[in-house]
Amino acid sequence: MPRKKSVNKDTVETVANTTFEVLPLLRKKLLRMDVVQAEHNMPMSQVQMLAMLGENGALSVSRRLGIAKPNITPLVDRLFEAGYVDRQHDENDRRVVNVVLLPAGEEKLTSIRETIVRQVMRWTGTIPEKEFFELEHALQTISTVLESAQF
């Protein structure tokens, strides 16, 4: 098994501090999730659930989808009642319940993504084109690193 290269402490601190500084900026300036929630009359937890299902298809409730256990059932219930998701028992283990995105959920997710695209369009003229492309590249790099990371 190959040995992982160690990263020096200064680099680790820089990544930690920059992440801590960037997260609020992403929420307040880049993507106004408060606007998304208001426009779609949907709390952030439901938006996130639809996004996870959009990326993964069916997800097991037992894995809790990264959401606190006491919150998962009411969250799925609300999305189920709205017609966005369905519950399906796993064919191999009937105790496992999967949450799947229904066509109405896919439509809602598409609408949410369109709202986000409109937001990004509004601020594209506020930064130079070169910096916009640098931002695109940086976000793609972050996505690639986080998807392949073993946490």
Side-chain angles (χ1 to χ4, degrees), residues 6 8 20 33-34 47 50 52 60 71 73 81 83 100 103 125 139:
S6 67
N8 73 45
F20 185 71
M33 294 313 288
D34 56 330
V47 172
L50 290 179
M52 285 188 286
S60 167
N71 300 334
T73 299
E81 289 165 7
V100 296
L139 290 171

Side-chain angles (χ1 to χ4, degrees), residues 44-81:
M44 192 62 199
S45 58
Q46 291 181 20
V47 172
Q48 289 173 321
M49 172 75 88
L50 290 179
M52 285 188 286
L53 289 168
E55 289 177 31
N56 299 296
L59 292 172
S60 167
V61 172
S62 64
R63 286 183 38 208
R64 295 194 336 229
L65 308 162
I67 299 166
K69 192 171 185 174
N71 300 334
I72 193 73
T73 299
L75 175 58
V76 172
D77 286 347
R78 286 191 290 279
L79 291 170
F80 177 81
E81 289 165 7

Side-chain angles (χ1 to χ4, degrees), residues 3-94:
R3 202 171 140 204
K4 290 185 178 182
K5 295 180 183 177
S6 67
V7 178
N8 73 45
K9 186 176 185 236
D10 290 340
T11 302
V12 170
E13 286 179 2
T14 300
V15 168
N17 290 331
T18 304
T19 301
F20 185 71
E21 293 169 4
V22 166
L23 287 176
L25 293 173
L26 287 173
R27 292 191 89 163
K28 289 181 180 180
K29 293 192 174 198
L30 190 59
L31 294 178
R32 297 283 316 274
M33 294 313 288
D34 56 330
V35 172
V36 171
Q37 292 174 75
E39 183 174 323
H40 296 278
N41 193 28
M42 180 177 277
M44 192 62 199
S45 58
Q46 291 181 20
V47 172
Q48 289 173 321
M49 172 75 88
L50 290 179
M52 285 188 286
L53 289 168
E55 289 177 31
N56 299 296
L59 292 172
S60 167
V61 172
S62 64
R63 286 183 38 208
R64 295 194 336 229
L65 308 162
I67 299 166
K69 192 171 185 174
N71 300 334
I72 193 73
T73 299
L75 175 58
V76 172
D77 286 347
R78 286 191 290 279
L79 291 170
F80 177 81
E81 289 165 7
Y84 297 141
V85 301
D86 195 11
R87 294 180 183 96
Q88 295 179 349
H89 288 280
D90 189 281
E91 293 177 9
N92 299 321
D93 185 347
R94 300 283 298 161

